Amino acid sequence: MDAHQDSLLKMKKLAYAMLQAKEYQGKTVVYHRKDVLEEAVITLDEDPAAKLNLFGVKDTKQISKDLVEKLKEKRGCLFHTVDKMSKGGRAIDTELINPLTGRVMTGSSSASSINILKGINDFAIGTDGGGSVLAPAISTGLYS
């Protein structure tokens, strides 16, 4: 596959992720950045072989803006969504259903896991005060 075809496939994946983010707005996505499209175009224009890695950040003040900015500085790391946090940061998120088991999700970072499974993001930044990242990852077969 040539560089042009590879870039087209990357942009197709990005378009799908953006459409999914819009569909899940108000469910697992609090906010999705439309600027990610322009950032991807600039990245691929500068380096057609660059990987595009979309990421979400749990909707909590415990995650520093500096961390997000450091990730954004890495070529191809594109900040895509702010991910819903379970009400009150509870260990069980009764508002979300695990797409693999059909049961309620576990952990306050559960929306981030769902967003990865749905193709919205490649990875996510969450917090773990006692299973808030580990539990959703384990229950969805993801690494944490």
Side-chain angles (χ1 to χ4, degrees), residues 3 24 26-27 31 41 56 72 75 87 101 105-106 111 116 120 136 139:
Y24 281 83
K27 299 171 190 161
Y31 172 78
V41 169
K72 284 174 59 179
R75 180 177 302 281
K87 284 190 177 178
T101 66
M105 280 297 293
T106 58
I116 292 168
I120 295 169
S139 70

Coordinates of all heavy atoms in Angstrom, one line a residue, residues 3 24 26-27 31 41 56 72 75 87 101 105-106 111 116 120 136 139:
A3 N 1.7 5.4 0.3 CA 1.5 6.4 1.4 C 0.2 7.1 1.3 O -0.5 7.4 2.3 CB 2.6 7.5 1.4
Y24 N -22.4 9.3 20.3 CA -22.4 9.0 21.8 C -22.3 10.2 22.7 O -22.2 10.1 23.9 CB -21.2 8.0 22.1 CG -21.6 6.6 21.7 CD1 -21.5 6.1 20.4 CD2 -22.1 5.7 22.7 CE1 -21.9 4.8 20.1 CE2 -22.5 4.5 22.4 CZ -22.4 4.0 21.1 OH -22.8 2.7 20.7
G26 N -23.4 12.9 25.1 CA -24.5 12.8 26.1 C -24.6 11.4 26.7 O -25.4 11.3 27.7
K27 N -24.0 10.4 26.1 CA -24.0 9.1 26.7 C -22.6 8.8 27.3 O -22.5 8.8 28.5 CB -24.3 8.1 25.6 CG -25.7 8.3 25.0 CD -25.9 7.4 23.8 CE -27.2 7.8 23.1 NZ -27.2 7.3 21.7
Y31 N -17.9 15.8 25.5 CA -17.5 16.7 24.5 C -16.5 16.1 23.5 O -15.7 15.3 23.9 CB -16.8 17.9 25.2 CG -16.2 18.9 24.3 CD1 -17.0 19.9 23.6 CD2 -14.8 18.9 24.0 CE1 -16.4 20.8 22.7 CE2 -14.2 19.9 23.2 CZ -15.0 20.8 22.5 OH -14.4 21.7 21.7
V41 N -5.0 16.2 9.6 CA -4.5 16.6 8.3 C -3.1 17.2 8.3 O -2.2 16.9 7.5 CB -5.5 17.6 7.6 CG1 -4.9 18.2 6.4 CG2 -6.8 16.9 7.3
G56 N -9.1 10.0 24.7 CA -10.1 10.6 25.5 C -9.6 10.9 26.9 O -8.6 10.2 27.3
K72 N -0.5 15.8 23.6 CA -0.8 16.4 22.3 C 0.5 16.8 21.6 O 0.4 16.9 20.3 CB -1.7 17.7 22.6 CG -3.1 17.4 22.9 CD -3.9 18.6 23.3 CE -3.9 19.6 22.2 NZ -4.7 20.8 22.6
R75 N 3.8 13.5 18.2 CA 3.2 13.4 16.9 C 2.2 12.3 16.8 O 2.4 11.2 17.2 CB 4.3 13.2 15.9 CG 3.8 13.1 14.4 CD 4.9 12.9 13.4 NE 5.9 13.9 13.3 CZ 5.7 15.1 12.8 NH1 4.6 15.4 12.2 NH2 6.7 16.0 12.7
K87 N -21.6 9.1 37.9 CA -22.1 10.1 38.9 C -21.4 9.9 40.2 O -21.3 8.8 40.8 CB -23.6 10.0 39.1 CG -24.3 10.6 37.9 CD -25.8 10.7 38.3 CE -26.5 11.3 37.1 NZ -27.9 11.4 37.3
T101 N -21.1 -7.6 28.0 CA -21.9 -8.5 28.9 C -23.3 -8.1 29.0 O -24.1 -8.9 29.5 CB -21.3 -8.4 30.3 OG1 -21.5 -7.1 30.8 CG2 -19.8 -8.8 30.3
M105 N -22.0 -1.0 33.8 CA -20.5 -0.9 33.8 C -20.0 -0.7 35.2 O -20.7 -0.2 36.1 CB -20.1 0.3 33.0 CG -20.1 0.0 31.5 SD -18.9 -1.2 30.9 CE -17.3 -0.5 31.3
T106 N -18.8 -1.1 35.4 CA -18.1 -0.9 36.7 C -17.0 0.2 36.5 O -16.5 0.4 35.4 CB -17.4 -2.2 37.1 OG1 -16.4 -2.5 36.1 CG2 -18.4 -3.3 37.3
A111 N -16.9 5.0 30.8 CA -17.2 5.6 29.5 C -16.0 5.5 28.6 O -16.1 5.3 27.4 CB -17.7 7.0 29.7
I116 N -13.4 3.3 23.7 CA -12.3 2.6 23.0 C -13.0 1.4 22.2 O -12.7 1.2 21.0 CB -11.3 2.1 24.0 CG1 -10.5 3.3 24.5 CG2 -10.3 1.1 23.3 CD1 -9.6 2.9 25.7
I120 N -14.1 5.1 19.1 CA -14.1 6.5 19.2 C -12.7 7.0 19.5 O -12.2 8.0 19.0 CB -15.1 7.0 20.3 CG1 -16.5 6.7 19.8 CG2 -14.9 8.5 20.6 CD1 -17.5 6.9 20.9
P136 N -13.3 -1.2 34.8 CA -13.8 -1.1 33.4 C -12.9 -1.8 32.4 O -13.4 -2.5 31.5 CB -14.0 0.4 33.1 CG -13.7 1.1 34.4 CD -13.1 0.1 35.3
S139 N -13.4 -5.6 32.8 CA -14.8 -6.0 32.4 C -15.0 -5.9 30.8 O -15.9 -6.4 30.3 CB -15.9 -5.2 33.1 OG -15.9 -3.9 32.7

